[in-house]
Amino acid sequence: MKERLSRKNINMANFSEINSADDVISFSEKNQYPFVIKPRLASGSSGVRIIKDHKELNDFIKSNDGNLEGMLAEGFIDGVMYHVDGLFVDGRIRFIQPFKYINDCLSYREDMFIGNVPLEKDDSTYHLLVETTKQIIANMPATENFAFHCELWLTAENEIICCEIASRTGGGMISFLIEEMSGLNIDKAWLLAECHIQTEDYPAYSDEFLRFGCVCIYHLQEESCFLCQLSMRNLCGKIHFTGLIGDSYQGGEKSGLYLIGYVIEAKDQSAVICIL
C-alpha cells in the first residue's frame, strides 16, 4: 500500500522495509529522529515504537536481540490524526465521513480512552480529508465493493499526510457510531453489495451526525464499570461490553481491544466532547 501510494504523489512519511538491525540503523542515518518502527503485519497500533534518539534505537535493537524481521520504519509526523470511513459500492463512493480522534491510537498503553467524533461539513479540514481519501482510493487497485478506513495526519502547516488505508470497516466503536448517527450498518451494506442485493439507502451528510461520538475504555474495575454504565446509560445509543464478570483485566493490549465501548448522543458536539 505504501509503496504504491508513494509512486502516485500521495503525501506520506519516508518509510523503509526493515528486516535487520542494519536496516533500521541505515534508516536512522538517512532520517532525523524521532522516527517510528512497527510490525508490517499487525493491527490496532500493537508493537509500535517511537524512537527518539540513538540510545533508544540501541535499546530497541538489544531488546529484540537484533531480530527485526517483518518491521517497517517511517518518519514521525507531528500532527493531529483523523480517520475517514466509508463505503464503495458498484465502483462509487456511497458514504464517506471524516472523524477526529480524541486522544490517539497509542492511548491504550496508558489506560487512557480513545474517542471518535465526526467532523462538520463546513470545517475546511473536512474537505481536505475527503478529497485526499478520494485521491488515495483512486490510486489503489480497482475494486467493485468495499468498506474503507483511512488514517491521515493534519500538520500545523495544514498539510494532509497519509498514514494508511485499509479495505475494511473501522475498528473500535467506529462502525457502531456510524450506524447510530446515520442509520447505515456498513458491514451489512457491504455484504449485501457483494451479494448484488441493493436494499440499502445510503445516507448523505447531516448536521445531526454531530450529536454523536464514541469512546473505547480499556481498564476498569468491575464496580467502576457498573457505575459507568449506570451514569452514562441515558446518553448512550450503544453499549458494547467485551469483558466477563469475575475476570481480571490489566489494561489494553491494542487500540481495538477495549473492555467497554459507548456511542454517546448529546444535544451538540460540544456536549459530546465534554462527556468524553
Side-chain angles (χ1 to χ4, degrees):
M1 177 268 298
K2 288 182 178 289
E3 289 175 350
R4 185 183 182 94
L5 292 178
S6 67
R7 296 193 297 266
K8 301 294 184 177
N9 296 319
I10 302 295
N11 284 340
M12 304 184 72
N14 292 334
F15 67 92
S16 179
E17 182 177 337
I18 301 297
N19 288 302
S20 68
D22 287 342
D23 288 342
V24 72
I25 290 170
S26 176
F27 182 86
S28 71
E29 291 171 346
K30 296 174 183 176
N31 294 267
Q32 294 181 341
Y33 292 103
F35 67 87
V36 176
I37 186 164
K38 58 187 180 182
R40 293 201 299 274
L41 297 177
S43 62
S45 300
S46 57
V48 175
R49 286 283 300 270
I50 299 174
I51 307 296
K52 301 182 181 67
D53 53 39
H54 190 62
K55 180 181 182 304
E56 287 195 3
L57 175 58
N58 286 334
D59 290 344
F60 176 77
I61 292 171
K62 289 178 182 177
S63 67
N64 287 273
D65 296 324
N67 181 15
L68 302 180
E69 188 172 357
M71 305 294 283
L72 175 79
E74 60 184 16
F76 177 82
I77 302 298
D78 187 8
V80 179
M81 179 165 274
Y82 295 82
H83 60 96
V84 181
D85 292 79
L87 183 67
F88 210 80
V89 175
D90 292 336
R92 295 169 50 199
I93 291 178
R94 303 301 183 119
F95 175 81
I96 187 167
Q97 175 62 44
F99 298 83
K100 182 179 181 179
Y101 282 113
I102 306 297
N103 292 333
D104 60 45
C105 296
L106 296 180
S107 299
Y108 74 93
R109 294 182 178 180
E110 299 176 12
D111 293 331
M112 294 171 60
F113 72 88
I114 185 171
N116 312 78
V117 292
L119 261 63
E120 183 179 4
K121 197 169 186 178
D122 290 341
D123 187 330
S124 61
T125 303
Y126 177 105
H127 298 284
L128 285 172
L129 294 168
V130 166
E131 291 309 311
T132 303
T133 302
K134 288 181 178 179
Q135 184 183 2
I136 289 168
I137 290 172
N139 283 293
M140 294 300 288
T143 306
E144 187 178 15
N145 307 304
F146 62 93
F148 57 88
H149 175 69
C150 185
E151 293 185 324
L152 309 112
W153 287 283
L154 177 67
T155 69
E157 293 76 27
N158 213 37
E159 184 180 23
I160 300 291
I161 309 291
C162 174
C163 174
E164 61 186 23
I165 189 168
S167 55
R168 61 169 175 81
T169 51
M173 292 293 290
I174 294 170
S175 291
F176 292 127
L177 170 58
I178 290 172
E179 184 171 11
E180 292 293 325
M181 77 184 197
S182 73
L184 176 66
N185 182 320
I186 284 191
D187 295 284
K188 176 184 175 182
W190 184 8
L191 174 62
L192 291 176
E194 288 286 84
C195 296
H196 304 289
I197 301 172
Q198 301 297 322
T199 62
E200 294 294 308
D201 292 325
Y202 303 110
Y205 170 86
S206 168
D207 286 339
E208 287 295 297
F209 293 177
L210 306 179
R211 297 193 301 106
F212 294 84
C214 66
V215 59
C216 294
I217 299 170
Y218 299 93
H219 188 205
L220 288 175
Q221 297 298 324
E222 181 180 323
E223 295 83 1
S224 299
C225 184
F226 179 69
L227 291 173
C228 194
Q229 290 191 58
L230 285 181
S231 64
M232 296 183 71
R233 188 174 296 278
N234 63 330
L235 298 169
C236 294
K238 176 72 176 182
I239 300 173
H240 189 212
F241 182 58
T242 66
L244 296 173
I245 301 300
D247 284 1
S248 176
Y249 299 92
Q250 303 302 319
E253 299 177 11
K254 55 194 291 188
S255 63
L257 294 179
Y258 52 90
L259 180 56
I260 189 166
Y262 298 95
V263 175
I264 298 164
E265 180 180 359
K267 63 178 182 179
D268 54 35
Q269 190 166 87
S270 296
V272 171
I273 292 173
C274 283
I275 294 166
L276 295 178

